[in-house]
Amino acid sequence: MKIRRFSATAFAAALLIPGLAACNGNGTTSDASATPSASGSVAPSATASSSAAKQALLDSTNAIREGNFKFSMTGAGSTAEGQVHEPSQSADMRMTIGDPSSDLMMKLDLIHAKPDSWVKLELGGTAAAQIPGVKNLNTGKFHHLDQNRIKGNRALGFDFEKLDPAGSAVLTQGITEVRQTGEGAYEGTVDVSKAAEAGSLDPAVITALGAQAQSVPFTAKVDTQGRLSEMVLKIPAAGQSAAQDLKITYTDYGNAAPAQKPSADQVVEAPAELYNLFN
């Protein structure tokens, strides 16, 4: 049994056991069509307005690149939340996939404090016993990770050159249509077919969407300073996956804190089973 990156979350940023979403059945059903504006019509200056709205959303991700914020991602019955603190070259993230009643539930607590990384796992559900070496994984302690073995692994690693786990800058660049619906509120469609690097979108999901990937409805909000505070992608049903909402939020710009390293008595070296699980 192997883990692959999860797109309707985790994470984002997060992770998904193959088939877990289908087993859980927790995807949020959503209408694949864009919601009409409050006025029900488009003003004659719609082209200019759309251009200005897109630029506003492109600019809204600038503060994310400063690397000092808190974030969350939710979708398909999974959640991820954490913070990035580039000044200290650190980040932390907590993810939950499924729940105790699922066939397989996973909780991860990831800490990155350059040059080190740690992860604490909790595996549950009726299928957890089938995972090789599960007793070596469910220790209740943080596993210290070998950077050479997680290099390029976007599930366990963290790239301080790409500070946004959700990749919202990549997503906003794919906007194909957008209009402002209120103060700091927007809606439109985005082409996610070229957004595999976003981090919040699994390439397998993008492929399954086919032509639908070129026009995925979304809503977005910015705060009073024009910084992105929320983006919701309304992912259509595709293959065996139900329609679902992927919600990404950003808060506490400039107010994140350095990640706290686990104490020595709470750390063990990561076993081979852990690397095998995520490869």
Side-chain angles (χ1 to χ4, degrees):
M1 183 177 295
K2 294 186 181 293
I3 303 291
R4 64 177 171 83
R5 291 183 58 227
F6 171 49
S7 69
T9 143
F11 253 143
L15 307 170
L16 181 66
I17 306 292
L20 179 60
C23 293
N24 293 341
N26 289 330
T28 301
T29 300
S30 61
D31 187 349
S33 61
T35 304
S37 62
S39 65
S41 61
V42 179
S45 59
T47 300
S49 298
S50 178
S51 177
K54 181 174 181 178
Q55 189 59 53
L57 289 180
L58 289 171
D59 293 342
S60 75
T61 65
N62 290 340
I64 298 174
R65 289 192 286 272
E66 296 176 9
N68 194 326
F69 57 86
K70 295 181 180 179
F71 67 92
S72 71
M73 287 182 280
T74 59
S78 300
T79 63
E81 63 177 9
Q83 61 179 350
V84 175
H85 191 257
E86 198 278 337
S88 64
Q89 292 279 277
S90 67
D92 60 61
M93 182 183 301
R94 294 157 301 284
M95 290 179 278
T96 301
I97 303 167
D99 58 62
S101 64
S102 306
D103 289 342
L104 187 60
M105 179 273 294
M106 175 184 286
K107 291 184 179 180
L108 300 96
D109 191 344
L110 279 158
I111 299 175
H112 303 283
K114 203 171 181 178
D116 293 299
S117 298
W118 302 264
V119 62
K120 181 164 65 174
L121 289 173
E122 180 184 343
L123 298 165
T126 56
Q130 301 174 26
I131 297 177
V134 65
K135 291 183 179 179
N136 292 331
L137 301 174
N138 274 350
T139 63
K141 293 191 174 185
F142 283 91
H143 299 275
H144 181 250
L145 300 170
D146 182 340
Q147 295 298 315
N148 291 325
R149 299 188 70 171
I150 66 171
K151 186 176 182 179
N153 187 317
R154 294 175 62 183
L156 294 176
F158 188 85
D159 187 350
F160 283 95
E161 299 298 319
K162 299 177 181 179
L163 295 167
D164 182 12
S168 292
V170 176
L171 293 173
T172 55
Q173 289 169 11
I175 290 174
T176 54
E177 179 185 348
V178 62
R179 58 186 175 275
Q180 186 167 0
T181 58
E183 187 66 31
Y186 303 85
E187 66 180 17
T189 56
V190 58
D191 181 354
V192 301
S193 64
K194 299 179 181 179
E197 294 302 310
S200 53
L201 290 166
D202 186 347
V205 172
I206 296 174
T207 299
L209 286 172
Q212 294 183 99
Q214 299 176 20
S215 186
V216 172
F218 79 92
T219 61
K221 296 179 182 178
V222 300
D223 64 17
T224 56
Q225 297 185 47
R227 302 171 301 194
L228 187 64
S229 60
E230 177 185 292
M231 189 171 192
V232 179
L233 298 177
K234 299 182 178 297
I235 310 295
Q240 296 182 346
S241 298
Q244 56 188 290
D245 286 357
L246 167 60
K247 182 178 180 180
I248 304 165
T249 69
Y250 299 91
T251 61
D252 294 283
Y253 284 102
N255 294 313
Q260 298 298 305
K261 301 178 182 180
S263 59
D265 62 341
Q266 289 299 308
V267 173
V268 295
E269 287 299 318
E273 291 90 345
L274 188 145
Y275 298 108
N276 292 337
L277 186 65
F278 288 91
N279 286 333

